[in-house]
Amino acid sequence: MKLLPLILLFWLADIAHGADLPTQFELEYTLKGTIGRGKASQTFSIEQREGVRHYQIKSEVRASGLLSLVKSGSIVLHSTGTIHQGNLQPVLFTDQRGGKPVREVAFDWQQQRIVYRRKGREMIERLPNNTQDKLSFMYHFMFAGVPQTAFSIYETDHRRLQSARYAVSEEILATPIGKFASIVLTRQPTPDDPRPKKLWLAKDYFLLPLRIISMESSGIKVDQLISSIRYNPDGHMQRLVTHAADR
């Protein structure tokens, strides 16, 4: 797949450790659910402050049609934290759905505890090393690299912490902006959580999340597919364009 910004090619050798990354990515997705459609967007940014690299991720999902009756309003997720020893280390994750109160998850790495805040209550659990939240998980591999074989990792949403095991495979993914060699992470179902989850990462382009298949607790299956990628290799936002996208 040939990209117009050829400078991209010089970054690939350092991709697994997040070296020389652009400091901002803006991704747009088409969204299909079992009962409707919508759009989604994600912004990933990096900022250096006092010798520490900080990251911020924002995700917004906007449903339409019948799906909007179940997913009323936008779903807005935020993840903020630091980039520490080749890993994303979340500090705060928030989940807000429509006009409902914000649900928060705070990560206290010094005290090794994770704090869930919702409906005016707090729940505290032990925080395992390298735990990722729902958003940071998708960008974590940009810095840590992807294991070549199946692996386990702790991840959390706004409700609970769990250990998940993922199978690793590769395939060519066709998208509206071209075909990408991708690494596919497939979560293995468990009796506690049989819901499917699958993530496609762009093998040659910063391991960006290209496609996400997941299932809500309500049983609605959601499929997000990349439709636009913008990034700032030289301080100015550019759109990643392929020849396939121009046809």
Side-chain angles (χ1 to χ4, degrees):
M1 187 169 102
K2 185 177 179 182
L3 299 180
L4 295 184
L6 296 180
I7 193 171
L8 214 55
L9 299 176
F10 295 98
W11 288 325
L12 300 183
D14 293 321
I15 186 174
H17 303 289
D20 298 324
L21 279 172
T23 56
Q24 184 161 323
F25 292 95
E26 296 176 356
L27 312 180
E28 295 180 3
Y29 301 85
T30 57
L31 183 149
K32 294 188 296 183
T34 48
I35 58 171
R37 295 176 177 271
K39 294 183 179 181
S41 62
Q42 290 185 7
T43 302
F44 176 79
S45 58
I46 302 170
E47 182 183 10
Q48 186 95 4
R49 298 199 304 267
E50 299 180 352
V52 178
R53 284 200 296 174
H54 296 257
Y55 79 86
Q56 178 170 299
I57 310 170
K58 178 183 178 181
S59 169
E60 184 172 4
V61 174
R62 302 170 300 280
S64 60
L66 289 175
L67 186 60
S68 66
L69 299 178
V70 179
K71 291 178 160 308
S72 58
S74 296
I75 299 175
V76 181
L77 310 178
H78 281 97
S79 174
T80 58
T82 61
I83 302 167
H84 179 70
Q85 296 181 350
N87 293 298
L88 292 189
Q89 194 168 75
V91 172
L92 182 67
F93 172 75
T94 63
D95 181 316
Q96 183 167 25
R97 299 173 181 243
K100 296 181 179 180
V102 177
R103 281 80 66 92
E104 292 186 356
V105 182
F107 298 77
D108 185 339
W109 294 100
Q110 288 189 338
Q111 299 296 323
Q112 288 284 282
R113 64 178 195 167
I114 186 168
V115 183
Y116 296 86
R117 301 187 181 105
R118 54 183 303 192
K119 297 181 179 179
R121 295 178 295 178
E122 283 193 356
M123 182 180 70
I124 300 175
E125 293 189 25
R126 183 185 67 85
L127 176 59
N129 290 333
N130 202 29
T131 296
Q132 300 297 318
D133 63 49
K134 189 174 181 177
L135 285 182
S136 67
F137 173 78
M138 290 189 280
Y139 293 87
H140 163 72
F141 304 98
M142 183 183 288
F143 300 87
V146 180
Q148 295 184 347
T149 58
F151 65 94
S152 297
I153 189 169
Y154 281 95
E155 56 183 349
T156 188
D157 56 11
H158 65 275
R159 294 184 299 269
R160 63 173 178 167
L161 174 70
Q162 62 181 347
S163 175
R165 186 162 182 81
Y166 284 85
V168 181
S169 59
E170 295 188 17
E171 67 178 61
I172 301 299
L173 177 67
T175 79
I177 58 174
K179 294 182 178 180
F180 290 83
S182 62
I183 299 174
V184 187
L185 307 182
T186 305
R187 187 171 66 186
Q188 306 303 289
T190 66
D192 289 339
D193 191 356
R195 294 176 298 168
K197 182 178 179 181
K198 202 169 182 178
L199 175 65
W200 284 256
L201 302 172
K203 184 177 180 180
D204 299 322
Y205 304 101
F206 310 111
L207 295 176
L208 289 169
L210 299 172
R211 186 182 182 189
I212 307 108
I213 292 179
S214 60
M215 180 175 286
E216 295 289 307
S217 57
S218 60
I220 297 174
K221 188 176 180 180
V222 179
D223 186 345
Q224 291 181 211
L225 180 64
I226 197 74
S227 60
S228 172
I229 298 174
R230 299 179 72 237
Y231 67 107
N232 64 341
D234 56 3
H236 298 86
M237 295 303 293
Q238 299 182 19
R239 189 178 299 276
L240 189 153
V241 181
T242 73
H243 289 292
D246 294 330
R247 292 199 294 266

